């Protein structure tokens, strides 16, 4: 390969890398989609009440988007209200747990860490079961087209 071609390729690679790095820095250094645009970045710096409010706000926004996408009929509104109430209650519980998690002394030993992880796993499994029950109760009243929309748009968490 000619020297001028190697130089051109190297220059293009360096320019592209610099452009990408400047874009990442412009976003605050977050390149994993959890940045200032509504992701999880900075949560460790939030006060517990801010964290709970942010979680509730995000859940409410996601549910509002889902409700619009589903184009619910008046007959489906009561089931939606129960589903939404259940989801918002879980979001509130999540905010409380995260705030509580910050106040508890971190585990000191590997065994304590594993015990804590096991407890959190059991709690998570129980909450998933409750969420599944709420989804099943609502999902049954949807049309086939609405079910496709729900399947594509319903997400747990951020």
């Amino acid at each position: 390969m000619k020297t001028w071609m190697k130089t051109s390729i190297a220059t293009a690679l360096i320019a592209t890398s610099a452009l990408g790095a400047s874009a990442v820095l412009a976003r605050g250094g977050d390149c994993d989609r959890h940045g200032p645009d509504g992701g999880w970045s900075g949560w460790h710096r939030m006060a517990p009440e801010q964290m709970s409010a942010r979680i509730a706000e995000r859940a409410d926004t996601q549910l509002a988007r889902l409700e619009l996408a589903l184009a619910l009929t008046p007959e489906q509104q009561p089931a939606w209200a129960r589903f939404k109430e259940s989801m918002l209650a879980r979001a509130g519980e999540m905010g409380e747990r995260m705030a509580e998690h910050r106040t508890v002394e971190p585990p000191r030993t590997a065994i304590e860490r594993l015990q804590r992880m096991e407890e959190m796993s059991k709690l998570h499994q129980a909450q998933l079961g409750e969420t599944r029950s709420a989804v099943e109760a609502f999902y049954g009243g949807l049309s086939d087209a609405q079910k496709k929309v729900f399947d594509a748009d319903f997400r747990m968490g951020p």
Side-chain angles (χ1 to χ4, degrees):
M1 196 184 283
K2 302 269 185 190
T3 305
W4 68 270
M5 288 175 62
K6 290 179 188 177
T7 305
S8 297
I9 291 172
T11 304
L13 182 61
I14 291 169
T16 304
S17 298
L19 182 63
S22 64
V24 168
L25 291 174
R27 289 194 65 228
D30 295 311
C31 56
D32 58 351
R33 300 207 59 210
H34 296 293
D37 59 339
W40 293 94
S41 178
W43 283 65
H44 63 282
R45 288 179 255 139
M46 281 187 192
E49 50 282 344
Q50 287 177 314
M51 191 180 320
S52 294
R54 179 96 181 261
I55 290 170
E57 179 185 319
R58 287 175 58 118
D60 198 38
T61 301
Q62 289 173 340
L63 288 168
R65 287 180 184 153
L66 182 60
E67 183 178 14
L68 284 174
L70 289 173
L72 299 169
T73 65
E75 296 81 26
Q76 294 171 322
Q77 287 298 331
W80 171 258
R82 288 189 298 275
F83 173 74
K84 183 176 179 179
E85 181 181 326
S86 176
M87 293 296 105
L88 290 176
R90 262 182 259 324
E93 292 169 5
M94 181 180 171
E96 291 170 10
R97 267 193 329 279
M98 288 178 75
E100 179 185 316
H101 180 74
R102 294 171 121 197
T103 62
V104 176
E105 185 176 327
R108 294 184 181 171
T109 66
I111 299 214
E112 288 175 353
R113 283 193 305 272
L114 289 169
Q115 287 172 338
R116 183 174 174 181
M117 288 169 49
E118 187 176 14
E119 291 167 8
M120 293 303 290
S121 178
K122 288 177 184 175
L123 178 64
H124 187 68
Q125 287 295 324
Q127 290 170 341
L128 280 175
E130 293 171 8
T131 300
R132 184 183 46 78
S133 296
V135 168
E136 285 175 345
F138 175 66
Y139 194 82
L142 297 176
S143 69
D144 289 339
Q146 288 172 320
K147 286 179 181 179
K148 286 181 183 179
V149 170
F150 189 88
D151 291 339
D153 292 351
F154 180 72
R155 299 277 185 263
M156 286 294 298

